Amino acid sequence: MKRFVPLLLLAASTSAVAQVDRTVPPPPGPEPSVDFPTIERRALSNGLPVYIVERPGVPLVTVRLVVNAGSAAEPGTQPGLASLTADMLDEGTTRRTAPQIADELEFLGANLGTGASYDASFVVLNTLSRNLRPALDIFADVVTNPAFAAPELERVRNQRLAALLQQQDQPVVLANQEFASRIFGTAHPYGRPLEGTPAAIRAFRPEALRTFHTTYYRPGNASLVVVGDVSAAEVMNTLQAALGSWSGGAATQVRYPAAPRPHAATRIYLIDKPGSAQSEIRIGHLGVARNHPDHYPLLVMNSILGGQFSSRINLNLREDKGYTYGARSGFAQRREAGPFTAQAGVQTQSTRESVIEFMRELQEIREGRPATQQEVEFAKASLVRAEPLRLETNNQVASRIEDIILYGLPLDYYDTYTQRVQAVTPADVARVARQYLTPDRFAIVVVGDRSRVEAGLRQLPYPVQLVTTTTAR
Amino acid sequence: MKRFVPLLLLAASTSAVAQVDRTVPPPPGPEPSVDFPTIERRALSNGLPVYIVERPGVPLVTVRLVVNAGSAAEPGTQPGLASLTADMLDEGTTRRTAPQIADELEFLGANLGTGASYDASFVVLNTLSRNLRPALDIFADVVTNPAFAAPELERVRNQRLAALLQQQDQPVVLANQEFASRIFGTAHPYGRPLEGTPAAIRAFRPEALRTFHTTYYRPGNASLVVVGDVSAAEVMNTLQAALGSWSGGAATQVRYPAAPRPHAATRIYLIDKPGSAQSEIRIGHLGVARNHPDHYPLLVMNSILGGQFSSRINLNLREDKGYTYGARSGFAQRREAGPFTAQAGVQTQSTRESVIEFMRELQEIREGRPATQQEVEFAKASLVRAEPLRLETNNQVASRIEDIILYGLPLDYYDTYTQRVQAVTPADVARVARQYLTPDRFAIVVVGDRSRVEAGLRQLPYPVQLVTTTTAR
């Protein structure tokens, strides 16, 4: 089975290469219009915006609270505050203990999750639509009345510390963290780990979580998304009853630091992982924000470059050279510009050669071998046809609406998905490749067995800097 | 966020404990009848059985081939043969290279996966229903014409070896493997790793995979499941065109070895993992097969014991004692009897106490503190109400039908789910607890820091055996 997971926020797509015969493509059915369901926008009496999608049929409903503050709202000295606050929401409220919350949800057959990303925090409820009312009562309690009790914080803290300990010698984790910190620096929230650091996690007191919650979890700084087997008119009464008395106006807008400066020249950062059978490689620099007007040309360009199994990068490093089981690239698109990353785990003995091939592909799509008309048409067809498979569940639809809310996209954004993809031309792709890929300013992070990879890397025309992380052992 | 993943094949459920106030339960809506969609059974001209579920609405369809042979069909000297064969199916056919397969699927926006369990192998296709015909052409090619080419096998082999290497020092993996081998022995397929061993993976030649495929992948030994936006009448023509000429009668029935003998007495097997912050604990013995008549009483009993967040085991070890972030139990139900397992990752300093509390709960539900009427009613309500949330996607429905096929359940099995759960009485629960839990014959596997846990474990009334695995370092 081919395990190819498209990178980050970018949707999967496809591309063409020489060895694939496209003279007899399979005949697909007529082009689908992506029937993204209509989004109705309402509001509760306290101002909380509500986005409703009616999906009759399966008797389920998803409710997602989107709070406009994630880890980027943390003080730089408190990494992990947003995700720890989210973790603690269902660990007890002023009305229910943690076991009571779990117990009541289970009695209803419902489930509830919480979490935080860089840009947002969220609480999501999945339930039978016929049990929405009692399930929403628990959801509202968790959102508005978390207790942040010290004993529960201790347990969650210990669990988080154990998880960080388990991660700290995983090459994939080391590579991702080092890469993020090299692109953004630790003064920028995108350069710090979402889950926090052991020192910060150890230091948190309940007051810090309570302050984060009070500051940002409020109807004036949040939105509610409801997707499923509900009627918009009827569900508003239920929502109003559960959350209408929640109070709080707009929060101070989260201020993001200025974008980091690019590297003056491409550099290699090497982390030694003795005995490693593979090297984890990350190559890239700053990309663009999610609401950037070049989103769709970048989507198509990256599909061809490294966004799908049959991308240039994957077919080169995997199919042609056999260095890796999968190589890919993508733009992580957030409120502010996230990273562009090309990445793979490669065989140790092919580390140097893999960097060379990555750099070749990143250069050639800019000049020398720009995307062809055929590649562009293929990527567009794939993007349009795969879209309905990514909207099968209520949760998937709710996540898309979260993007609309967080990134200020128009409410009919997905209705125009097909035409936005189809409008991309080969000239657009060539332009964004030249504009947004800058191979002489990359950070290249390699986590691998130094004794076997350093000499090869030093033959490349980039300075090599040995990096010691406290966790790299 | 509470991360509680119900164990193995058992569905999630719930239970009651003293500290949870059930005097004011949330009022749920009327009990849902689980509307499992009607399954139509047909057959192709070559005898391949076809199970079709029409789910109009979202324009998607899932096609799943179920082959009645998984790792239990492997010779004992060839662990990993079934899963490696499945992995190789889409790595090239006699008509298409691996990139062509990926490329054509991506052009259609479709995706395809393959895999193997103990009892079966499978190939699953997800596509727009309007593209079913061309996608099914690729699916049929992958199922019937895999090339098993040597260069592709080398790549898949290397990837598998790298994955095994990465797993070999993970306490969770070590604990699971040691536990399975202690219950079943390596002469039984359930005692061997599904993914194989490094030595076996290194030794496979294409002929072994070809033989496995020829022997078991045939219409007389397989079934096809189709779920989604299709009409049964129309889809049969498409299936017949794609797979009607596939030939092959019944395969030799896979012979399972006799069930292993139980331990004469409860024993502890200790694997040293120096520096580990947690101990992984597995406790259990042989359970029952999936088609066992006591399936539903066992489902309810295990829900109360350890099948859900608010089970006795989890509330004791997690909420009351704070030893772990989650403890659970479950019966892995397969064609033959799988293991019953109670498990947790616990803080190193609480290893001995955790074993004591596990053993207490496993004993008390048998005698001393049998499940109450209230616990049983609660578990049943939760099981029934949560069921629709587990049938949201076409893939989920197709997996349920695979169970019907593999385990010889009646075609209307899920139509009667609610009544089967509701029929369970407290007397049933008490009976199956006494009958299927035998605390004086458990295997107890502990993976942890020997220097910190051994002395405590030796105070328990069970012999402690130090185990050295080649991978335990």
Side-chain angles (χ1 to χ4, degrees), chain A residues 170-248:
Chain A
Q170 293 176 15
V172 167
V173 176
L174 288 174
N176 290 343
Q177 287 187 357
E178 187 66 25
F179 182 72
S181 78
R182 288 295 163 185
I183 301 297
F184 292 97
T186 50
H188 193 289
Y190 295 171
R192 300 189 295 258
L194 271 172
E195 312 76 24
T197 59
I201 296 297
R202 271 189 215 100
F204 282 120
R205 299 291 159 262
E207 290 64 35
L209 284 64
R210 201 167 287 126
T211 299
F212 189 87
H213 178 265
T214 308
T215 306
Y216 295 112
Y217 285 70
R218 36 173 62 208
N221 192 47
S223 302
L224 203 61
V225 181
V226 182
V227 180
D229 185 23
V230 293
S231 113
E234 290 172 19
V235 80
M236 283 303 293
N237 290 329
T238 311
L239 299 172
Q240 177 67 32
L243 283 160
S245 62
W246 186 27
S247 66

Side-chain angles (χ1 to χ4, degrees), chain A residues 280-299:
Chain A
E280 286 292 334
I281 298 175
R282 303 289 180 276
I283 301 176
H285 50 40
L286 198 66
V288 300
R290 174 63 181 83
N291 63 4
H292 195 285
D294 278 330
H295 175 76
Y296 284 91
L298 283 165
L299 192 66

Side-chain angles (χ1 to χ4, degrees), chain A residues 1-3 13-16 19-22 24-33 35 55 58-60 86-88 90-92 97-104 106-115 126-128 130-131 134 138 152 155-156 158-160 162 165-166 275 277-278 280 308-311 315 318-319 322 324-325 347 377-378 381-382 385-386 388-389 391-395, chain B residues 1-3 13-16 19-22 24-33 35 55 58-60 86-88 90-92 97-104 106-115 126-128 130-131 134 138 152 155-156 158-160 162 165-166 275 277-278 280 308-311 315 318-319 322 324-325 347 377-378 381-382 385-386 388-389 391-395:
Chain A
M1 174 174 179
K2 296 187 180 55
R3 292 174 198 81
S13 105
T14 188
S15 86
Q19 69 259 49
V20 172
D21 176 14
R22 291 244 174 79
V24 191
E31 213 62 68
S33 61
D35 290 324
R55 291 183 116 199
V58 186
L60 305 176
D87 264 14
M88 284 290 294
D90 60 355
E91 294 288 341
T97 65
Q100 282 171 333
I101 292 167
D103 202 60
E104 292 188 23
E106 288 173 357
F107 181 69
L108 297 170
N111 63 63
L112 186 143
T114 62
N126 297 296
T127 180
L128 286 172
R130 79 186 79 199
N131 285 347
I138 308 165
E152 268 62 40
R155 183 178 45 231
V156 172
N158 287 333
Q159 177 64 19
R160 181 70 66 91
L165 184 70
Q166 284 180 3
Q278 292 197 313
E280 286 292 334
Q308 181 54 300
F309 184 89
S310 59
S311 69
L315 288 182
R318 177 193 145 109
E319 293 297 327
T324 176
Y325 200 69
Q347 296 168 14
E377 292 307 321
F378 192 89
S382 164
R385 289 171 193 155
L389 275 81
L391 296 171
E392 185 176 5
T393 69
N394 292 335
N395 273 317
Chain B
M1 174 174 181
K2 295 186 181 56
R3 293 175 195 80
S13 104
T14 187
S15 86
Q19 68 260 47
V20 173
D21 177 13
R22 291 247 173 79
V24 192
E31 212 63 70
S33 60
D35 290 325
R55 291 183 116 200
V58 186
L60 304 176
D87 265 13
M88 283 291 295
D90 60 355
E91 294 289 341
T97 64
Q100 281 171 332
I101 292 168
D103 201 60
E104 291 188 23
E106 288 172 357
F107 181 68
L108 297 170
N111 62 65
L112 185 143
T114 64
N126 297 296
T127 179
L128 285 172
R130 82 186 77 198
N131 285 347
I138 308 166
E152 268 63 38
R155 183 179 45 230
V156 173
N158 287 334
Q159 177 63 20
R160 182 71 66 93
L165 184 70
Q166 284 180 3
Q278 292 198 313
E280 285 292 333
Q308 180 53 303
F309 184 89
S310 60
S311 69
L315 287 183
R318 176 193 146 109
E319 293 297 327
T324 175
Y325 201 69
Q347 295 168 14
E377 292 308 320
F378 192 89
S382 165
R385 290 172 192 154
L389 275 81
L391 297 171
E392 186 176 6
T393 68
N394 292 335
N395 273 318

Side-chain angles (χ1 to χ4, degrees), chain A residues 371-391:
Chain A
T372 65
Q373 173 90 34
Q374 191 181 31
E375 285 179 302
V376 172
E377 292 307 321
F378 192 89
K380 286 163 33 174
S382 164
L383 284 167
V384 167
R385 289 171 193 155
E387 188 61 10
L389 275 81
R390 301 188 197 110
L391 296 171

Side-chain angles (χ1 to χ4, degrees), chain A residues 451-473:
Chain A
S451 68
R452 298 179 60 201
V453 306
E454 183 178 7
L457 292 174
R458 289 202 183 273
Q459 294 166 13
L460 298 173
Y462 319 113
V464 176
Q465 177 177 337
L466 281 170
V467 177
T468 309
T469 75
T470 53
T471 56
R473 39 189 48 261

